[in-house]
Every structure is written in C-alpha cells, then in structure tokens.
Amino acid sequence: LAKHSSVKDFVNFNAKQDAELLHKAMKGIGTDEGTILMLLTSRSNNQRQEIKAAYKKAHGKDLVSALKSELGGLFETLVVALMTPPISYDASQLHKALKGAGTDDDVLIEILASRTCAQIKDVVKVYKKECGGKLEKDITGDTSGHFQKLLVILLQGSRDEGVDEDRIENDAKELFAAGEGKVGTDVEKFINILGNRSHEHLRLGVFVHLRTLHIACMHYNETLIKHLGMPSSFSIVKCAKSVPAYFAESLNGSMRRAGTDDQTLMRIMVSRSETDMLDIRACFKKMYGASLYNTIQDDTAGDYGKALLYLCGGND
C-alpha cells in the first residue's frame, strides 16, 4: 500500500477471526455497528476480500449481502463501497455516472483525470465484465463535443511518461493560444496536449513555461474555460498540478455548503484512503486552515460519520 495512505494492511491479520467477529456483530437482535465500522476501516481492501472469502466458507453466504440486510442509509452505502475492490468500485461509479438520471460529468473527469494509465486500462476491462458494456461506447453515447474527445483520449490510458524537454515550449505556446481564445484556436491540439502528456510534463514543464509567457494562472484558467466551454478541462489542469490538492478542493466543495454532497465525500474518502489520503489532509489544512478531520466531524453524523473519520486516519 502507498506510504501516504491512511488505511494500511492490518498487522496481525486473521481473515477467519475477522469473519467471525462480523458474524457475531450481525447475529441475533440488533446489530453491533461499532464492531463493523472499526473492523472494516482498519483493514486494507485486499484484507477485506479475504474476510469476504472466509465468511462465505464458514457461513455459506455472501458477506456483502449479509451486511446490506443489517445496515441502512449512508452507512450501508459506505460499507458496500469499502467491500468493493478498488477497480470494480471505479467501474461502478463510472457506470452510475453514465446510467443515472443525466450524466455526472464531474465523476467521469474525476476518475479519468486522476487515475494512472494502468488503473484506467484495468477499469475498462472490469467495466466490460461487470457493467455489461463497453465504457468507451457508453461515454460516447452520453457525452458530446470537445468534452467527449477529451474523455476518449483519457480512456486510452496511454499518457506519455516523464517530461519531454523538446515539446515543452511548443506545448506551452499552443495552450497559450487556446487560453487566449484567439480566432481559429485549434481546440483539438489543446485537448491532445492535456489528455496525452504526463502530469509531470505539464506541471514541471508546460505550466512553468506558460508563466514565462506572462499570463496569470487564474486568468488563464478562466479564459480556458470560457473559450472552450469545458469547465472539466480545468480538472485536468488541477490534477496535473497536484492530485492531492485537487481532491482536497473537491472534498471542501462536498461539505462546506448548504447540504453535504455525500456521494462525492464517500467516493473520495474510500478511493483515496489507500493511496494519498495523508497528502490530501496536508493540502486541505494548507488550503482551508482547518483539518479535514474536523470538517468531516462537523458535517456528518452517526456510524457513517465515524467510519469516514477512521478513513481520514487522524486529525491535523
């Protein structure tokens, strides 16, 4: 597991023992939610899969179905998410974003802009197997224009690696032209650069060079959105600059307003707990002057809130 994750492999792990603890927590009248949430948030996803197998072997039924029958509301949704392998979880979130009422563009770009090439390739395979369709076909059927082209490029999972010194200046000039919205801007080139270059190449090369072209980044981002009509392209720029900062901003947006966007909050806390949660926490504190832990605590309640705090992994 990533060294910046908040959820690690549990040291003295025993799948059989954990399966029995969960069985006891669900047996008889009333459910012991405390045991369920403490146990599942302190095991890695791989370990949860082993517990699931041990439970089936001992009790002849599916652990997720058993948990669903005992739990409800947001806590149930969160527990099911924790029990889902990460690639399957991404695939299911993309499927939901495409097949729900209206397409959720934010989810599509969040997953496709922040995952590694290898992860995207795996998601495409799993989506076909578990969601019964081709991800690219579903995306092209549900999106249009420049945004669609950008998603299809990201979906190939073939971003360049490293920084290509020979391309920096030219890439910067082409992005500059697109950002200025000059007549006849070649949006295709713009999409191609943002979709195909590595995050390092954009962050350490192109964006640095853009600044030497005397363009204020904020102004640049605004013009970029205005002329391209693609607010989502902004997410790619943010991910290239810093994936943890991008998620810190998304988490802040999911909480600090009227009504919590629990789907976004849950999706990020589950999917980043084993990758870069500690970095996200540091960015959150730096950007908003409050800890992610306290913000979650103020915004959520019950077992659902407690489980999210365990995934957060501590206060800053």
Coordinates of all heavy atoms in Angstrom, one line a residue, residues 95-104 142:
H95 N -20.2 3.8 -14.2 CA -21.5 3.2 -14.7 C -22.6 4.0 -14.1 O -23.5 4.4 -14.9 CB -21.6 1.7 -14.3 CG -22.7 1.1 -15.0 ND1 -23.9 0.7 -14.3 CD2 -23.0 0.7 -16.3 CE1 -24.7 0.1 -15.1 NE2 -24.2 0.1 -16.3
K96 N -22.6 4.3 -12.8 CA -23.6 5.1 -12.2 C -23.7 6.5 -12.8 O -24.8 7.1 -13.0 CB -23.3 5.1 -10.7 CG -24.5 5.5 -9.8 CD -24.2 5.3 -8.4 CE -24.3 6.6 -7.6 NZ -23.7 6.5 -6.3
A97 N -22.5 7.1 -13.0 CA -22.4 8.4 -13.6 C -23.0 8.5 -15.0 O -23.6 9.5 -15.4 CB -21.0 8.9 -13.6
L98 N -22.9 7.4 -15.7 CA -23.4 7.4 -17.1 C -24.8 6.9 -17.2 O -25.6 7.4 -18.1 CB -22.5 6.4 -17.9 CG -21.1 6.9 -18.2 CD1 -20.2 5.7 -18.6 CD2 -21.1 8.0 -19.3
K99 N -25.2 6.0 -16.3 CA -26.5 5.4 -16.5 C -27.6 6.0 -15.6 O -28.8 5.7 -15.7 CB -26.5 3.9 -16.2 CG -25.6 3.1 -17.2 CD -26.2 3.2 -18.6 CE -25.2 2.7 -19.6 NZ -25.6 3.1 -21.0
G100 N -27.2 6.9 -14.7 CA -28.2 7.5 -13.8 C -29.0 8.6 -14.6 O -28.9 8.7 -15.8
A101 N -29.9 9.3 -13.8 CA -30.6 10.4 -14.5 C -29.7 11.5 -14.8 O -29.1 12.2 -14.0 CB -31.7 10.9 -13.5
G102 N -29.4 11.7 -16.1 CA -28.4 12.7 -16.5 C -27.0 12.2 -16.3 O -26.8 11.5 -15.4
T103 N -26.1 12.7 -17.1 CA -24.7 12.2 -16.9 C -24.0 13.1 -15.9 O -24.1 14.3 -15.9 CB -24.0 12.3 -18.3 OG1 -24.8 11.6 -19.3 CG2 -22.6 11.7 -18.2
D104 N -23.2 12.4 -15.0 CA -22.5 13.2 -14.0 C -21.1 13.4 -14.5 O -20.2 12.6 -14.3 CB -22.5 12.4 -12.7 CG -22.0 13.2 -11.5 OD1 -21.2 14.2 -11.8 OD2 -22.3 12.9 -10.4
D142 N -23.1 9.2 -24.3 CA -23.7 10.0 -23.2 C -23.1 11.4 -23.2 O -23.5 12.3 -22.4 CB -23.5 9.4 -21.8 CG -24.8 8.8 -21.3 OD1 -25.5 8.2 -22.1 OD2 -25.1 9.0 -20.1

